[in-house]
Each structure stands twice: as C-alpha cells, then as structure tokens.
Amino acid sequence: MSRTSAFARLFLALSAAVLLFTSLGWAADDKDKDQSDIQKRIQNAADVLNEIMAVKDKAIPDEIMENAECVAVVPSMLKIAIGIGGNHGKGVATCRTPTGWSAPAPFTIAGGSWGLQIGAQGVDLIMLVMNKKGMDALLSSKFKVGADASAAAGPVGRQAAADTDWKMKAEVLTYSRARGVFAGIDLNGSRIAQDQDETRLLFGKMVTFPDILGGKVAPPEGSEPFLSAVRKYATQAKQ
C-alpha cells in the first residue's frame, strides 16, 4: 500500500469520526432544545392562568374553578402559529385525583374555527372540564369537541357565580384571550389528542393520558409552576 493511499484512508476515517461525533452533538442539542420547549410551555401555561385570573372582572369565577375536574391551557407561542394554516396549538392539562392534581399531560388541539374566528396569531386558551363525561372524553386521549364532549364559553367575573346555567351548559367551559382582549371561541369540530412526542420528552418515556391524568405518575421536573397556579385558583373560593 502506498503512503498516499494510507494517508487517504486515514483522512477518510478521521472525517467519518468527526461527522459522527458532530451529528451526535447536534442530536443532543436538539433533544435539549425540545426538552426546554415543553418546560417553557408549562411555565407559559401557568403565566396565562395567572394573568387571566388577575383581571377581576374577566376572571374565571372561583366557584367554577373550584368545581373543575380538569384544567387545560394552550398558551400562545410564536412557533405554534395559532390561527394560521391548520389552526394548531399545543398545551398541557391536569386533572383532580384522590391525592391532588395530576402531572401535566401535553396535548394538541387542531381544527375547528377558533383561530380564524378571532383573527389573531396569538391566542391564549383555557378549557375547564366540568363533569365526568368531559373527563372521560379527555382521558380517551383523543376526542372531538362537540361530538364527544360539548363546549361553551364560560361566564366571567368572580361574582358571576349567580349564573348557574354553566352547571348544565356543557362538559367543557372555555376562556380565551387574543392580544390582551378577551374574546369568545368556537371550539366545535376541534380535535384534542395526546402529544406523544412531548410526553416522551417530559417523562422520558411514553405514558398514556389515563395514567398521567389519573395520577399514576409523579409530576416531572418543571411541573410545579403550572400545578401551583391550578391549586391556588381551585381552592381560592374555599379560602
């Protein structure tokens, strides 16, 4: 074997090794970025709930929060592009369990007319599941609003408890805000499903919606801001 040929083989081997380690580094960076994205979404969900509850005349009534079986929040994020194209958003949900609120479960919402109806790129959405039928639909990991569970705009204002129609109106009550302006949303036709990719990132493995929302897994790191906000407002009426 000539010296030139040996050098060429060594160069190719070194180049391949460099490419391999570089690709592994990129993969690790991508995984870290994805992990950071889901944790930011959990924090943003907490921020949305805190900000909406801070506007007293537009806040979710305490009695409704106290009676909610599950709380689901879709925070506005630029990369989600809510209201553009496929009307697609990502959020997290938690449900009551015998030992408290469950770990947050990542989900997606797509379809319907809600984004286009508001006509804004950024939409903050809160969905409150109010009874067992609505909770069963959510636990199924995939359901269609209006078919598997009915939805309606919830009453606002902390003194709105006198309006008891919400107790019979729908399985899911919705609250939304676009660019700081509170607006009604029509969720009928939207599909809500577990986000399996983000579930794997958050828990390190695939965990089903029923197991997460049923309290069978511990809340992962980064969950506390959202769960703390939910606990705060769900017990506010009693306090």
Side-chain angles (χ1 to χ4, degrees):
M1 181 185 298
S2 68
R3 182 175 299 180
T4 302
S5 177
F7 177 79
R9 287 176 180 271
L10 178 61
F11 177 78
L12 289 173
L14 289 174
S15 298
V18 170
L19 287 174
L20 174 61
F21 285 115
T22 301
S23 63
L24 290 174
W26 286 340
D29 290 344
D30 287 344
K31 184 176 181 179
D32 290 342
K33 181 180 180 300
D34 290 340
Q35 183 73 31
S36 175
D37 285 347
I38 179 60
Q39 289 179 344
K40 286 179 181 177
R41 187 166 297 113
I42 292 172
Q43 178 63 59
N44 288 342
D47 293 343
V48 167
L49 187 56
N50 284 324
E51 289 167 7
I52 285 181
M53 293 301 288
V55 183
K56 294 183 178 181
D57 61 335
K58 295 293 185 180
I60 302 168
D62 292 340
E63 184 181 358
I64 291 179
M65 282 295 299
E66 183 185 356
N67 284 276
E69 295 292 337
C70 304
V71 178
V73 180
V74 181
S76 172
M77 295 181 69
L78 183 61
K79 64 181 295 185
I80 296 175
I82 299 175
I84 298 176
N87 305 325
H88 179 75
K90 292 186 176 185
V92 290
T94 180
C95 292
R96 291 183 189 272
T97 74
T99 58
W101 290 90
S102 73
F107 69 90
T108 62
I109 180 168
S113 60
W114 53 287
L116 295 177
Q117 179 183 355
I118 290 180
Q121 182 177 351
V123 177
D124 298 324
L125 171 65
I126 296 177
M127 296 178 288
L128 303 181
V129 177
M130 302 307 300
N131 54 35
K132 188 177 186 301
K133 181 179 178 182
M135 190 172 182
D136 288 343
L138 184 62
L139 291 176
S140 70
S141 301
K142 191 173 185 178
F143 75 96
K144 187 174 183 179
V145 178
D148 302 312
S150 59
V156 297
R158 292 181 176 169
Q159 304 304 318
D163 178 11
T164 58
D165 289 347
W166 60 267
K167 294 182 178 180
M168 300 173 289
K169 185 179 288 185
E171 280 78 47
V172 180
L173 295 180
T174 64
Y175 296 84
S176 58
R177 181 183 62 172
R179 292 181 181 175
V181 178
F182 292 82
I185 278 183
D186 180 10
L187 284 180
N188 286 317
S190 298
R191 293 186 179 275
I192 296 174
Q194 181 176 13
D195 189 327
Q196 296 187 1
D197 290 338
E198 294 207 342
T199 297
R200 291 188 181 93
L201 285 170
L202 187 60
F203 292 94
K205 61 180 180 179
M206 182 58 197
V207 186
T208 65
F209 240 31
D211 282 352
I212 299 173
L213 297 176
K216 294 182 180 180
V217 293
E221 181 181 356
S223 303
E224 189 54 30
F226 177 57
L227 297 182
S228 179
V230 171
R231 284 194 297 267
K232 175 183 176 181
Y233 299 115
T235 59
Q236 199 161 244
K238 293 179 181 179
Q239 294 173 350

